[in-house]
Amino acid sequence: MRLALFWLAVSSRARYDPGKPQEHDGRVPSRRPSDREVADSGVRREEAERMPWFPSHSTVCDGRPCAPGEGNLQHVREDTPRGWRYKQWTQPYIHREAWVQARSRDVPHSPDEVAVYGDAVALAKRTALDGRVVVTSGDWDYRELVLNFVLHAHKLAYHNTLVLSMEAELHSDLTARAIPSADLSRSLAAWNETCLQRHIQAARTERHVAVAAMLAAGIDVLLCDATVVLLRPVVAELAAIPADLLVQRDAWPEDPVRKVGVAANAGFYYAHGTAAVSEFVLSAVRRGLIEFYLRWNNIGDQYGLSFVMADAKMDAKADGGAGGGRRGGGGRPGPPWGAA
């Protein structure tokens, strides 16, 4: 019996191909994690065997609304010379590299799908002033930050502000406050079929597809992270700059910085409402899914935007241009990408 069990164990390991997922769907595995999965998760085996197979996110905790962050799977923190931070190169759930790599890297819906973004675009058209909207996004965890953003925007008379609500609970709360909100909870759920594993990864990416839908409808968009606080009027100033897309500079990821000297912050940009700019934003989403090999990173959207803008700048230099885009229909050259 011992020999038989030993043979089965060896045989099972010999048949295991780390390049192919053992489970192709979303069911919870009923087995122990493999050595490769333990190593990829960045923990010891005894820790891995206590970890869940999937990240989790909830808006209800013990029968009540979760406090901000309470409904998420908690990450380990560590004390470093620079202070406390979330521990790098680990995660609080088992990582299955082969399973992630087998997932779709396609955008689950296009920005021109009326069934997906019809209500959001209609809301943007009703809310817009001079063809422009100020947009932020968030989920139930971010409700206080979202409200803070909107109230500061209203102080500047930006009543053309709307929120892309990634969860129905946030949408209901904002609607009760008479704050324009687009409920994107259903479109967010579609990202579960892709390689993105975490709720925040999907939420960050989905907002750009919704923005692309507004741009395709001819609406200019200032997209801001909910953590942004607008202290002075800036929209008209940005709109007057002759460029298709103005993006805040950033220093990460490193490859675009090495390539063109700058990266792009995906959480603050002004985009003119043209079909060309809509497609450019969507191409950044696609590139972000392709670049999603750093599974620990939640900013796949910033990777995508930085890489496509770096490529656009290099292409423009090769053509002898200034590195900028051209306004749809007008053909005006703009300043270098990422110059804002």
Side-chain angles (χ1 to χ4, degrees):
M1 180 64 71
R2 289 178 183 176
L3 289 176
L5 286 174
F6 179 74
W7 181 86
L8 286 172
V10 172
S11 176
S12 176
R13 179 168 294 184
R15 288 198 302 269
Y16 172 60
D17 182 353
K20 294 181 180 180
Q22 295 190 61
E23 296 87 12
H24 292 269
D25 54 22
R27 72 182 186 275
V28 177
S30 57
R31 58 178 175 81
R32 299 176 67 193
S34 68
D35 291 344
R36 171 69 180 274
E37 290 165 342
V38 171
D40 284 346
S41 300
V43 297
R44 297 186 299 272
R45 170 163 288 280
E46 54 267 30
E47 294 178 73
E49 293 189 359
R50 295 193 300 266
M51 288 164 57
W53 287 93
F54 292 99
S56 59
H57 171 80
S58 178
T59 59
V60 179
C61 298
D62 298 326
R64 55 171 175 75
C66 295
E70 183 184 8
N72 299 317
L73 192 61
Q74 300 301 307
H75 203 294
V76 175
R77 299 178 74 225
E78 63 179 349
D79 193 6
T80 72
R82 300 174 63 182
W84 282 92
R85 70 174 187 178
Y86 290 111
K87 189 173 183 179
Q88 300 296 294
W89 309 113
T90 65
Q91 59 187 33
Y93 59 94
I94 296 171
H95 179 74
R96 292 179 288 160
E97 182 67 19
W99 188 79
V100 171
Q101 296 301 335
R103 307 292 283 174
S104 170
R105 291 180 183 270
D106 293 329
V107 181
H109 35 247
S110 66
D112 59 353
E113 290 185 40
V114 176
V116 179
Y117 296 110
D119 290 344
V121 170
L123 175 67
K125 288 181 177 180
R126 294 195 304 270
T127 308
L129 295 175
D130 299 323
R132 307 172 193 139
V133 289
V134 178
V135 175
T136 193
S137 63
D139 61 2
W140 186 234
D141 281 337
Y142 269 59
R143 58 192 180 274
E144 295 173 354
L145 290 168
V146 167
L147 183 59
N148 182 64
F149 176 90
V150 172
L151 294 178
H152 277 84
H154 286 177
K155 279 188 175 181
L156 299 175
Y158 289 152
H159 299 290
N160 57 332
T161 299
L162 64 87
V163 178
L164 302 176
S165 296
M166 299 299 168
E167 290 178 317
E169 291 86 349
L170 177 63
H171 175 67
S172 297
D173 181 74
L174 295 175
T175 300
R177 299 174 185 270
I179 294 174
S181 167
D183 184 357
L184 297 186
S185 56
R186 288 188 178 182
S187 55
L188 182 71
W191 291 92
N192 291 336
E193 302 302 319
T194 71
C195 61
L196 302 184
Q197 299 295 288
R198 302 175 184 171
H199 172 81
I200 189 173
Q201 293 165 344
R204 285 183 62 100
T205 306
E206 169 61 22
R207 59 180 175 166
H208 300 292
V209 188
V211 167
M214 297 175 189
L215 298 175
I219 304 166
D220 286 11
V221 175
L222 172 62
L223 176 69
C224 303
D225 281 339
T227 51
V228 169
V229 176
L230 298 175
L231 299 177
R232 68 174 182 85
V234 67
V235 175
E237 182 179 342
L238 294 176
I241 297 175
D244 292 308
L245 182 62
L246 293 162
V247 181
Q248 179 180 330
R249 291 176 179 267
D250 210 310
W252 189 265
E254 292 180 343
D255 282 353
V257 174
R258 285 194 293 265
K259 193 174 184 180
V260 297
V262 69
N265 189 321
F268 190 87
Y269 61 75
Y270 187 93
H272 286 275
T274 69
V277 180
S278 173
E279 178 55 36
F280 188 87
V281 170
L282 190 61
S283 72
V285 174
R286 296 192 189 103
R287 184 63 178 269
L289 291 171
I290 293 172
E291 296 292 338
F292 188 71
Y293 56 89
L294 285 175
R295 57 191 180 274
W296 321 98
N297 208 316
N298 289 327
I299 58 170
D301 58 336
Q302 183 151 320
Y303 273 74
L305 186 60
S306 295
F307 274 96
V308 296
M309 294 191 85
D311 289 348
K313 189 169 184 178
M314 292 298 290
D315 290 344
K317 283 185 176 180
D319 293 338
R326 292 186 178 273
R327 292 291 304 275
R332 289 189 294 159
W337 292 111

